[in-house]
Amino acid sequence: MKDFPFLSVLTLLPLVGAIAVACIPRAKAELAKLVALIWSLVVLVLSIVMWVTYTVNSTDRFQFHESYSWIPSWNANFTFAADGIALVMLMLIAVLFPVVILASWHDVDQSRRSAPTYFALLLAFEFTMIGVFAAADVFLFYVFFEIMLIPMYFIIGSFGSGQKQYAAVKFFLYSLVGGLFMLAAVIGLWVVGGHTFDFAALVEAGKSIDQNTARWLFLGFFIAFAIKAPFFPFHTWLPDSGGAAPAGAAALLVGVMDKVGTFGIIRYCLPLFPEASRWFAPAALVLAVIGIIYAALLAVGQNDLKRLVSYTSIAHFGFIGIGIFAFTTQGGTGSVLYMVNHGLATGLLFIVVGMFVARRGSALVSDFGGAGKLVPVLAGVFFFAGLASLALPGTAPFVSEFLVLLGTFSTHQPYAVIATAGIILAAAYVLWMIQRTTQGTLNPALDEVPAMKQDLSLREKFVVAPLILLLLVLGFYPKPVTDVINPAVQATLQDVGTQDPAPTVADGKAGR
């Protein structure tokens, strides 16, 4: 089965689906939705087959390797390959897209916008997301890194709400500026790396690159990825984009697209520039810790549900950042697992917030109050999503957050201690959000909104059920995922030239 071109087929399938859906007449919106859903489910099934085929602890780190000639004069190829880190991200994409498509079933007002266009853009976005995580050629990665902006730009700008045009342009410009930094670094890397874009060849070439040159190249990649994640202080585009985007698209924005930034740091910054990574680690840790506290404090003060969830994501990316630059197996594995779990938990939270907003016609916390009395099941799912977001024990994010803090504490105790304050703040903003929205005295205005008296429909139950199940299963038994991630993280740390600290052993005198 490994001879089957999984990665190229997975990449192209959503693109073909996007073209097919875009060709469906606007009047046949239901057909377009159905085709998009079925197409995304086919991608999910193929991804599951690839997961089953993947060999854990194989001596071959990158499996399902494919390479096709593209631009011979530049030595650029259509090269795809997946290690454990890429594989879990591809599975996250495959799981989230069918859920989001089903959740977005009634999000498009056919009198004003074309439903086939919206769902075609979602599939086009899936095509770019799979491509960026599967690419094993630096130039191919850069191309996918840039073109993934296009479908999300149109989704926000055409199908969003509020200041959607402002948010779309800000999103595009921030990402484009980051992309320009990366382009300069990619060109520089090609020049000093032996005129090749092949990832494996560049890892070897990176060991002999001049120290100052490597640091500048690292910075070019890091700025692009820090904007995409986003890390403090490059974060200001996310609350605007998350607040303006449709709820399903926002779930993909923070659940999948932002992971390109942290994935890029792990995949490209660390192995290609090992000395520069170690040199820049203290600054990266400071930015990550500031992001945890600063974003959490801003989240506490938000009155807009979608912006609040966006700020929580910035804080969560701070945890991922300290795990990456702790340079320990526990921290690295925790960071990658955090990327997966955050996608599930925050994706669920954004989708449920979208259900509330669709019913109330407003995203303001002050427009709710006591909503749980009218929609108890929806309020219960909202409560669970909030608890998962703050990493309650028994949910998947707890495992990843614990691993990150454990791995960071073993090498950088002050950063781990400060980061724990973010956990306290997370409890504050999540519980405040839940209490003000669904608990307490019923807001009389809600009684006047008929839609607020409609609890979860069958379709909506099918939307939230798989995410709840995954969050619970991975909360109690994350081993199938960590077993896939661990070898890739260990290989990355070997490329960086770091190793886990030796365990502290007591001298045996205590207690005698």
Side-chain angles (χ1 to χ4, degrees):
M1 283 295 290
K2 284 191 177 180
D3 293 333
F4 184 80
F6 281 104
L7 295 175
S8 56
V9 172
L10 274 176
T11 303
L12 292 175
L13 263 179
L15 178 61
V16 176
I19 295 171
V21 172
C23 293
I24 296 175
R26 180 172 177 174
K28 297 184 178 180
E30 293 302 313
L31 176 62
K33 299 172 187 177
L34 187 60
V35 172
L37 178 61
I38 293 174
W39 219 283
S40 65
L41 288 172
V42 171
V43 173
L44 174 59
V45 170
L46 187 59
S47 299
I48 293 173
V49 174
M50 183 174 68
W51 177 278
V52 173
T53 307
Y54 187 85
T55 303
V56 178
N57 295 323
S58 169
T59 54
D60 184 12
R61 174 183 172 185
F62 290 95
Q63 301 179 36
F64 312 112
H65 190 278
E66 305 172 42
S67 188
Y68 311 96
S69 181
W70 183 19
I71 310 175
S73 58
W74 294 358
N75 203 10
N77 300 295
F78 281 108
T79 302
F80 300 99
D83 63 356
I85 299 171
L87 182 63
V88 296
M89 296 311 302
L90 291 172
M91 280 303 305
L92 176 65
I93 293 168
V95 168
L96 278 183
F97 269 88
V99 170
V100 166
I101 289 172
L102 191 59
S104 306
W105 209 258
H106 300 304
D107 281 2
V108 180
D109 183 356
Q110 270 291 98
S111 63
R112 300 175 56 195
R113 292 287 183 267
S114 167
T117 300
Y118 178 74
F119 288 96
L121 286 171
L122 287 179
L123 288 176
F125 186 54
E126 184 177 24
F127 153 69
T128 62
M129 286 294 93
I130 294 175
V132 80
F133 286 112
D137 179 279
V138 175
F139 186 70
L140 180 63
F141 172 84
Y142 170 75
V143 171
F144 277 115
F145 184 86
E146 290 291 67
I147 64 172
M148 69 182 177
L149 304 178
I150 299 172
M152 185 54 70
Y153 169 79
F154 284 109
I155 288 172
I156 297 173
S158 298
F159 298 91
S161 58
Q163 293 183 304
K164 58 183 182 180
Q165 296 294 342
Y166 167 79
V169 171
K170 188 174 183 179
F171 158 76
F172 193 84
L173 289 179
Y174 263 71
S175 300
L176 188 62
V177 169
L180 292 176
F181 277 97
M182 184 190 288
L183 177 60
V186 167
I187 294 172
L189 184 62
W190 182 81
V191 171
V192 301
H195 294 185
T196 181
F197 290 113
D198 181 72
F199 174 77
L202 288 173
V203 169
E204 288 300 315
K207 298 174 182 177
S208 58
I209 296 177
D210 174 72
Q211 184 180 88
N212 289 330
T213 302
R215 290 177 179 181
W216 280 109
L217 294 176
F218 170 91
L219 195 60
F221 278 95
F222 181 81
I223 291 175
F225 295 141
I227 291 174
K228 185 66 67 183
F231 288 138
F232 173 89
F234 308 105
H235 64 280
T236 60
W237 65 268
L238 181 56
D240 293 319
S241 300
L252 295 175
L253 183 68
V254 300
V256 178
M257 186 175 186
D258 289 356
K259 306 303 186 302
V260 174
T262 47
F263 172 83
I265 292 173
I266 297 171
R267 167 58 60 82
Y268 294 98
C269 286
L270 302 191
L272 294 177
F273 316 107
E275 186 280 332
S277 299
R278 298 192 300 271
W279 172 76
F280 193 75
L285 287 167
V286 170
L287 293 179
V289 169
I290 292 175
I292 292 171
I293 306 301
Y294 179 71
L297 290 172
L298 289 177
V300 171
Q302 295 301 309
N303 188 42
D304 185 294
L305 285 169
K306 293 168 75 175
R307 289 180 66 88
L308 192 158
V309 177
S310 297
Y311 275 113
T312 68
S313 294
I314 298 170
H316 291 150
F317 276 99
F319 281 101
I320 297 173
I322 64 172
I324 292 173
F325 286 98
F327 295 135
T328 62
T329 302
Q330 289 173 325
T333 299
S335 291
V336 177
L337 187 62
Y338 209 129
M339 290 158 61
V340 176
N341 293 339
H342 174 266
L344 297 173
T346 305
L348 175 62
L349 190 56
F350 249 122
I351 288 170
V352 175
V353 164
M355 293 175 182
F356 272 112
V357 173
R359 285 165 167 78
R360 181 66 177 92
S362 171
L364 298 180
V365 175
S366 55
D367 285 340
F368 289 88
K373 294 179 173 62
L374 299 177
V375 283
V377 179
L378 178 57
V381 175
F382 186 49
F383 183 60
F384 174 83
L387 294 181
S389 181
L390 64 82
L392 183 76
T395 62
F398 170 76
V399 180
S400 45
E401 195 166 280
F402 181 77
L403 284 172
V404 163
L405 291 174
L406 194 64
T408 305
F409 190 82
S410 64
T411 55
H412 301 87
Q413 293 183 10
Y415 296 108
V417 171
I418 297 172
T420 56
I423 300 175
I424 300 171
L425 291 171
Y429 59 66
V430 168
L431 295 177
W432 175 86
M433 173 183 69
I434 293 170
Q435 194 276 330
R436 290 283 303 275
T437 306
T438 62
Q439 306 300 312
T441 305
L442 178 66
N443 183 349
L446 297 182
D447 257 336
E448 301 174 7
V449 183
M452 279 303 303
K453 299 178 182 179
Q454 300 173 7
D455 214 336
L456 283 183
S457 66
L458 182 62
R459 174 184 61 84
E460 290 171 329
K461 290 176 182 176
F462 274 108
V463 168
V464 300
L467 297 181
I468 293 173
L469 180 63
L470 285 170
L471 286 168
L472 289 173
V473 170
L474 294 179
F476 285 95
Y477 189 64
K479 189 175 183 296
V481 179
T482 55
D483 282 350
V484 171
I485 297 171
N486 260 323
V489 169
Q490 291 168 354
T492 301
L493 292 179
Q494 288 176 2
D495 290 335
V496 178
T498 60
Q499 58 185 0
D500 292 328
T504 302
V505 181
D507 61 10
K509 296 180 180 179
R512 288 184 180 178

